[in-house]
Amino acid sequence: MKFSVGGMSCASCASNVDKTVRSLKNVEDCSVNLLTGMLIISGNPDENEVINAVQKLGFTINRVSETNSENSSNNVETRDKVSKKNTDTSPYSKDVVVLIKRLVFSFIFWVPLMYYSMVHMLFNLSLGSFFQNNPIAVGLLQCILCLMIIIINKEVITHGVSAVFRRIPNMDTLVALGVITSFVYSLCMLFSMTAVPEEQRMHIMMNNLYFEGSGTILLLISIGRLLDAVSKGKTTSALNDLKKLYSQTVTIIQNGDEKTISISSAKVGDMFIVRPGESIPLDGVIMSGSAAVNEASLTGESVPKDKKEGDEIYQGTILVDGCIVCQATKIGSDTALAKIINMVENASSTSIPIAKTVDKVARVFIPSVIIIAFITFIGQMILNASLSYAIVRAVSVLVVSCPCALGLATPLAIMVSTGRAAKKGILFKNAAVIENACKVKTIVLDKTGTITKGEMIVSDILPYNSEEYNDFVKYAYSLEYNSKHPISVAIVNKFKQLDVKTVGVSDFYTLAGKGVAGFINNEEIVAGNVEFISEKISVPAYIMTEAQKLKNEGKTVVMFAYKKAYFGMIALYDEIRSESIKAIENLKKMGIKIVMLTGDNEQAAARIASITKVDKTISQLLPHQKAEIVKSLAKEGPVMMVGDGINDAVALESATIGVAIKSGSSLAVNSSDVVLMNSSLMSLEQLISISRRTLRRIKQNLFWAFLYNIICIPLAAGIFAPVVALSPELSALGMGLSSVIVSLNSLR
């Protein structure tokens, strides 16, 4: 269950929403993201109860439709409209426009306010004939100018005050208390000027009016929030770039004519055409033509892939060269691009375990600051400080505190990392994976389809009689042509390259788990594993020795019998991915132990292990045995399991972090925590690296946020005066810059 929450301004706001929602019936867990304003709830709570509870806190809340394969066509259209909206402008760009307007108008009134309060005295400038020697008029003008700035920034004041009445004070509360306190005190002093002799009025105006302080605080808050909004917008740039990949139209072919329609009107089965330079609008299958397609937006690989008839194409990828006619297979929320965006949004909106500590601090932070400000005021008065000085110190404490930096420390870094990881073809399903990946000391790799390509390649063609080579390859090709088994497909592909011709095969049949058979020229021909063929016919001893030698090299041997006599054999092997060796080497340098699991025989496993230099190999495993081994390794510390097949699903579920290769089965992908879109083990190194850098940034952000408050609050309180003490204006500037520093650090 997903909701969009509006009006949260700091970590305290997010923490209060989290605490309130968790207390509701049937809520198993929830995550509140200050950056995205997203509330994600697991469990089955009453939707109206959630909405009412959050609204009572003073926030706006709306249910967000969660896209899935069962969405109606209306939801598909909604997704398309949302994508268009996000393409045109991001919510942060709208915030920036509002904040710029607010800042400009505030600045227009702030300039004369500063002139009539301070600048004219510093540079001995004229106030004009009316204001000269008229301190009450000058004070009244300052009051009006300050009041205009307060009205322009009334949102901060109203939010802060309303939060007090709801007993959930937030960052706006601190600012509002500081502004209102200094404004009301100055207003009282302005009224007092009317009851004192003229010679005292100038003294009061110069030393007891702080209208410029209230105005400057709000101006600096506006500057800080503008910079903050700009930096937040940058953190979501990767996600926005993904959303911009949506094409708004598709050129379909109906009755031989081309027609451009909105993608929201497209249907599964529609034929559409794509030309060079165009973005592919829907997932589909190429029906005619060939092309080079840049799939970097989905996989992170910049080299275009050659596509031909029968190949799949994906929404958001770019047709570099060629022209293709395709049939739509997936639309709307079912497309690969939509699922990627949904996954990135979900990961960006969830929180990580370290954030729980921040939430606990945030719940007591603002009440603690208000108490500290009150103690500061009382303390200064006890120390015989003037009333105005005590108020200045209390206001400085209120304004300098920055819970916003605490609240943004985690989500900003998560948003950046998940977005940029997606650009590299690494999809996190939830943010907790990022923190857990840092702790991984063991990575378990499935062999077939993960370390290797999962595609058999013919290495040896060995007819019994070299003079019968042509007949052997011709008959073997013809027999295997009728089978769809991976071994048969590999043999067929090899003989196609050799331009071998086929002959007629009759009465073809499959021998489950053993091989295939049929008749050529009314004579039976059988292909199968060594054990099966050696039981069926007499195989010379030296042939069996040669077959065993090939098997010891990790190869798969297929024997052929024709006319009830040994005919020859073909050896195949599963090719190692070109990048696997380097990837494993790099992971080991990062201090990670690599374990390879496989259902293959010991010889095949040993061959791959010797080449890749994995730390440990376990072979001849059944799916449930893989899971048991993963669970056993997990007792020693966090384990990452990487696989691609159906038989890896249980092991992926058993691991601390399950990583699925996108080229693998849908079950493996669904059972995983991370999906590698480009099917490369080099992405594992990037995954671990991104995880470690992200957690480092989060810790740096939190360190800065805590350190800033620990240092600046005592300075603002005047503990180190007269050596150094922060004024309200400097406090406001520091508070704004604190959030900006956290944002910029996250962008690194």
Side-chain angles (χ1 to χ4, degrees), residues 208-221:
N208 293 90
L209 298 188
Y210 294 100
F211 291 118
E212 82 283 354
S214 295
T216 303
I217 288 171
L218 290 172
L219 180 77
L220 293 173
I221 291 296

Side-chain angles (χ1 to χ4, degrees), residues 280-319:
I280 294 174
L282 302 167
D283 286 5
V285 175
I286 298 176
M287 305 305 290
S288 66
S290 59
V293 179
N294 186 336
E295 295 185 341
S297 56
L298 300 186
T299 65
E301 295 178 356
S302 58
V303 179
K305 285 188 176 181
D306 292 329
K307 299 280 185 175
K308 60 184 184 302
E309 186 176 322
D311 288 345
E312 292 183 334
I313 45 94
Y314 302 100
Q315 181 184 45
T317 57
I318 306 297
L319 190 68

